[in-house]
Amino acid sequence: MTNFVQRMIGAAKLDVKIYEEVEADKGALGQALGVVVISSLAAGIGTLSGGGASGLVYGLIVALASWFIWAFITYLVGTKLLPEPQTKADMGEMLRTIGFSSSPGIIRVLGIIPALQMVVFLVAGIWMLVAMVIAVRQALDYTSTWRAVGVCVIGWIIQAIIFYPILVAMSGPQGPATMSQP
């Protein structure tokens, strides 16, 4: 079994074996939580110039809530709506694999350099999306990557429908586009 840092590096390298390992390791939930927290803090540091220190706290809370909600949605979509015959998963497996798929987000700390911020966040976002598809595929025991992509797309739409009204309500008359991004 690999240690926490090795798991984070392996998850960032999109190593399927690491995702299988954390899926099976019921004791890795705390590590997955740690990855989400570190990735969120890296994003907060990367946006300090725009959101200030309060953005760190806000970003952390949103990241933790989003992680749990995202895991729940992908669990339901993947096991109830789009299961393969061998699909067998539980919430713990989803939380662990999805948590580790946040590993590439640590590079967002480089966003503190103003000239790099947009590129770093774009690269991190794409990298994390690919990691998410792998995490979902492994947690749901899929043989089809495209099915995992479908689960992620459907889950993203559902989560957007849930979060958009909340963002609008929290942002006031200016709209959600003016809120700092974690």
Side-chain angles (χ1 to χ4, degrees):
M1 185 162 67
T2 52
N3 71 31
F4 178 59
V5 173
Q6 290 170 324
R7 281 180 168 177
M8 287 178 65
I9 292 168
K13 287 180 167 182
L14 310 176
D15 184 346
V16 172
K17 291 177 190 165
I18 293 298
Y19 287 99
E20 285 293 326
E21 183 178 303
V22 298
E23 175 193 10
D25 183 0
K26 293 180 192 272
L29 186 58
Q31 289 183 350
L33 171 67
V35 174
V36 173
V37 168
I38 292 167
S39 180
S40 173
L41 291 174
I45 292 167
T47 59
L48 270 177
S49 60
S54 64
L56 283 172
V57 175
Y58 171 76
L60 183 60
I61 292 167
V62 169
L64 292 173
S66 295
W67 169 51
F68 185 81
I69 292 167
W70 177 255
F72 182 70
I73 291 169
T74 55
Y75 168 75
L76 289 178
V77 172
T79 61
K80 307 298 182 206
L81 186 62
L82 294 174
E84 287 186 348
Q86 73 283 354
T87 297
K88 187 180 125 212
D90 60 40
M91 271 297 291
E93 292 171 351
M94 297 304 297
L95 285 165
R96 293 189 299 272
T97 58
I98 288 171
F100 272 90
S101 74
S102 296
S103 293
I106 294 170
I107 68 165
R108 296 180 294 185
V109 72
L110 297 174
I112 198 156
I113 303 167
L116 296 179
Q117 188 177 55
M118 191 162 57
V119 172
V120 166
F121 273 71
L122 177 64
V123 168
I126 293 168
W127 192 357
M128 290 169 61
L129 178 61
V130 173
M132 175 73 64
V133 169
I134 292 169
V136 167
R137 184 186 67 204
Q138 298 315 117
L140 296 172
D141 304 313
Y142 284 171
T143 57
S144 168
T145 299
W146 286 110
R147 188 176 296 257
V149 168
V151 168
C152 289
V153 168
I154 292 168
W156 183 85
I157 291 168
I158 293 169
Q159 188 158 351
I161 290 168
I162 292 169
F163 275 107
Y164 187 76
I166 295 168
L167 287 174
V168 169
M170 288 176 58
S171 64
Q174 309 95 317
T178 60
M179 292 186 67
S180 64
Q181 296 292 320

CSV table of all heavy atoms in Angstrom, one decimal, residues 4 25-37 67 96 100:
chain,number,residue,atom,x,y,z
A,4,PHE,N,0.2,8.5,1.6
A,4,PHE,CA,-0.7,9.6,1.2
A,4,PHE,C,-0.1,10.4,0.1
A,4,PHE,O,-0.8,10.6,-1.0
A,4,PHE,CB,-0.9,10.5,2.4
A,4,PHE,CG,-1.8,11.7,2.2
A,4,PHE,CD1,-3.1,11.6,1.7
A,4,PHE,CD2,-1.3,13.0,2.4
A,4,PHE,CE1,-3.9,12.7,1.4
A,4,PHE,CE2,-2.1,14.1,2.2
A,4,PHE,CZ,-3.4,13.9,1.7
A,25,ASP,N,-9.6,0.8,-0.1
A,25,ASP,CA,-9.1,1.1,1.2
A,25,ASP,C,-10.2,1.9,2.0
A,25,ASP,O,-10.2,3.1,1.9
A,25,ASP,CB,-7.8,1.8,1.1
A,25,ASP,CG,-7.2,2.1,2.4
A,25,ASP,OD1,-7.8,1.7,3.5
A,25,ASP,OD2,-6.1,2.7,2.5
A,26,LYS,N,-11.0,1.3,2.8
A,26,LYS,CA,-12.0,2.0,3.6
A,26,LYS,C,-11.4,3.0,4.5
A,26,LYS,O,-12.1,3.9,5.0
A,26,LYS,CB,-12.9,0.9,4.3
A,26,LYS,CG,-13.7,0.1,3.4
A,26,LYS,CD,-14.5,-0.9,4.1
A,26,LYS,CE,-15.2,-1.9,3.2
A,26,LYS,NZ,-16.4,-1.6,2.6
A,27,GLY,N,-10.1,2.8,4.9
A,27,GLY,CA,-9.5,3.8,5.8
A,27,GLY,C,-8.9,5.0,5.1
A,27,GLY,O,-8.4,5.9,5.7
A,28,ALA,N,-9.1,5.1,3.8
A,28,ALA,CA,-8.6,6.2,3.0
A,28,ALA,C,-9.5,7.4,2.9
A,28,ALA,O,-9.2,8.4,2.2
A,28,ALA,CB,-8.2,5.8,1.6
A,29,LEU,N,-10.7,7.4,3.6
A,29,LEU,CA,-11.6,8.5,3.5
A,29,LEU,C,-11.0,9.8,4.1
A,29,LEU,O,-11.1,10.9,3.5
A,29,LEU,CB,-12.9,8.2,4.2
A,29,LEU,CG,-14.0,9.3,4.1
A,29,LEU,CD1,-14.3,9.5,2.6
A,29,LEU,CD2,-15.2,8.8,4.8
A,30,GLY,N,-10.2,9.7,5.2
A,30,GLY,CA,-9.6,10.9,5.7
A,30,GLY,C,-8.5,11.4,4.8
A,30,GLY,O,-8.4,12.6,4.7
A,31,GLN,N,-7.8,10.5,4.1
A,31,GLN,CA,-6.9,11.0,3.1
A,31,GLN,C,-7.6,11.7,1.9
A,31,GLN,O,-7.1,12.8,1.5
A,31,GLN,CB,-6.1,9.8,2.5
A,31,GLN,CG,-5.1,9.2,3.5
A,31,GLN,CD,-4.2,8.1,2.9
A,31,GLN,OE1,-4.5,7.7,1.7
A,31,GLN,NE2,-3.2,7.7,3.6
A,32,ALA,N,-8.7,11.2,1.5
A,32,ALA,CA,-9.4,11.8,0.4
A,32,ALA,C,-9.9,13.2,0.8
A,32,ALA,O,-9.8,14.2,0.0
A,32,ALA,CB,-10.6,10.9,0.0
A,33,LEU,N,-10.4,13.3,2.0
A,33,LEU,CA,-10.8,14.6,2.6
A,33,LEU,C,-9.6,15.5,2.6
A,33,LEU,O,-9.7,16.7,2.2
A,33,LEU,CB,-11.3,14.4,4.0
A,33,LEU,CG,-11.6,15.7,4.8
A,33,LEU,CD1,-12.7,16.5,4.2
A,33,LEU,CD2,-11.9,15.3,6.3
A,34,GLY,N,-8.4,15.0,3.0
A,34,GLY,CA,-7.2,15.8,3.0
A,34,GLY,C,-6.8,16.4,1.6
A,34,GLY,O,-6.4,17.5,1.5
A,35,VAL,N,-7.0,15.5,0.6
A,35,VAL,CA,-6.7,16.0,-0.8
A,35,VAL,C,-7.7,17.1,-1.2
A,35,VAL,O,-7.2,18.1,-1.7
A,35,VAL,CB,-6.9,14.8,-1.8
A,35,VAL,CG1,-6.7,15.3,-3.2
A,35,VAL,CG2,-5.8,13.7,-1.5
A,36,VAL,N,-8.9,17.0,-0.9
A,36,VAL,CA,-9.9,18.0,-1.2
A,36,VAL,C,-9.6,19.3,-0.5
A,36,VAL,O,-9.6,20.4,-1.1
A,36,VAL,CB,-11.4,17.6,-0.8
A,36,VAL,CG1,-12.4,18.7,-1.0
A,36,VAL,CG2,-11.8,16.4,-1.7
A,37,VAL,N,-9.2,19.2,0.8
A,37,VAL,CA,-8.8,20.4,1.6
A,37,VAL,C,-7.6,21.1,1.0
A,37,VAL,O,-7.5,22.3,0.7
A,37,VAL,CB,-8.6,20.1,3.1
A,37,VAL,CG1,-8.0,21.2,3.8
A,37,VAL,CG2,-10.0,19.7,3.7
A,67,TRP,N,-17.8,18.4,-3.0
A,67,TRP,CA,-17.2,17.0,-3.0
A,67,TRP,C,-18.3,16.0,-2.6
A,67,TRP,O,-18.5,15.0,-3.3
A,67,TRP,CB,-16.0,17.0,-2.1
A,67,TRP,CG,-15.4,15.6,-1.9
A,67,TRP,CD1,-15.1,14.6,-2.8
A,67,TRP,CD2,-15.1,15.1,-0.6
A,67,TRP,NE1,-14.6,13.5,-2.1
A,67,TRP,CE2,-14.6,13.8,-0.8
A,67,TRP,CE3,-15.2,15.6,0.7
A,67,TRP,CZ2,-14.1,13.0,0.3
A,67,TRP,CZ3,-14.7,14.8,1.7
A,67,TRP,CH2,-14.2,13.5,1.5
A,96,ARG,N,-13.9,8.5,-1.8
A,96,ARG,CA,-12.5,8.3,-1.8
A,96,ARG,C,-11.9,8.5,-3.2
A,96,ARG,O,-10.9,9.3,-3.3
A,96,ARG,CB,-12.1,6.9,-1.3
A,96,ARG,CG,-12.5,6.6,0.2
A,96,ARG,CD,-11.9,5.3,0.7
A,96,ARG,NE,-12.4,4.1,0.1
A,96,ARG,CZ,-13.6,3.5,0.5
A,96,ARG,NH1,-14.3,4.0,1.5
A,96,ARG,NH2,-13.9,2.4,-0.1
A,100,PHE,N,-9.6,11.9,-4.3
A,100,PHE,CA,-8.2,11.8,-4.9
A,100,PHE,C,-8.2,12.4,-6.3
A,100,PHE,O,-7.1,12.9,-6.7
A,100,PHE,CB,-7.7,10.4,-4.8
A,100,PHE,CG,-7.0,10.1,-3.6
A,100,PHE,CD1,-7.7,9.6,-2.5
A,100,PHE,CD2,-5.6,10.4,-3.4
A,100,PHE,CE1,-7.1,9.3,-1.3
A,100,PHE,CE2,-5.0,10.1,-2.2
A,100,PHE,CZ,-5.7,9.6,-1.1
